[in-house]
Amino acid sequence: GYPSLYPDWYKPDQLYTFKPEPSIPEMQAHAGRYQLFNLKDDPTEHNDLSKSRPDIVTEMSERLRLLTQNAVPPNYPLVPDPKSNPSKFDDVWSPGWC
């Protein structure tokens, strides 16, 4: 059950209804499109501000481009390190370096 009512606390179903997960075609329709939300005032991300604040979208997309350009690619080894074998760590996988 739910605890007694607290200030500013409500059951989730009293705030809004949850939408079903979007389908793959719906997600692909939004790929490459920027969305902008004010998480302080709209924590559930219902009001997209990207059309009303294109200046912020441009600034953030440029910043994202620069960060992506300078990002170091991840190192995903194809074969697990033998030093990380679970038999050496009480049957728990370890990175092998700690």
Side-chain angles (χ1 to χ4, degrees):
Y2 288 95
S4 61
L5 293 177
Y6 296 103
D8 297 332
W9 187 88
Y10 303 95
K11 286 180 169 181
D13 60 347
Q14 292 174 330
L15 293 175
Y16 52 86
T17 56
F18 291 97
K19 296 178 184 176
E21 289 291 320
S23 66
I24 298 294
E26 289 173 323
M27 287 189 281
Q28 288 173 338
H30 293 286
R33 186 180 137 232
Y34 290 110
Q35 294 178 313
L36 180 67
F37 299 98
N38 181 338
L39 297 179
K40 180 179 148 270
D41 296 334
D42 181 21
T44 55
E45 299 179 357
H46 284 97
N47 302 312
D48 183 5
L49 303 173
S50 61
K51 300 264 189 283
S52 63
R53 295 303 307 265
D55 55 321
I56 295 176
V57 173
T58 301
E59 180 183 335
M60 292 179 79
S61 62
E62 178 60 22
R63 177 77 174 138
L64 179 62
R65 188 188 68 75
L66 288 171
L67 291 172
T68 305
Q69 190 177 29
N70 296 319
V72 177
N75 176 15
Y76 295 122
L78 298 176
V79 180
D81 188 339
K83 294 180 281 188
S84 65
N85 191 321
S87 65
K88 299 179 181 179
F89 300 98
D90 295 322
D91 294 324
V92 176
W93 280 100
S94 166
W97 47 263
C98 61

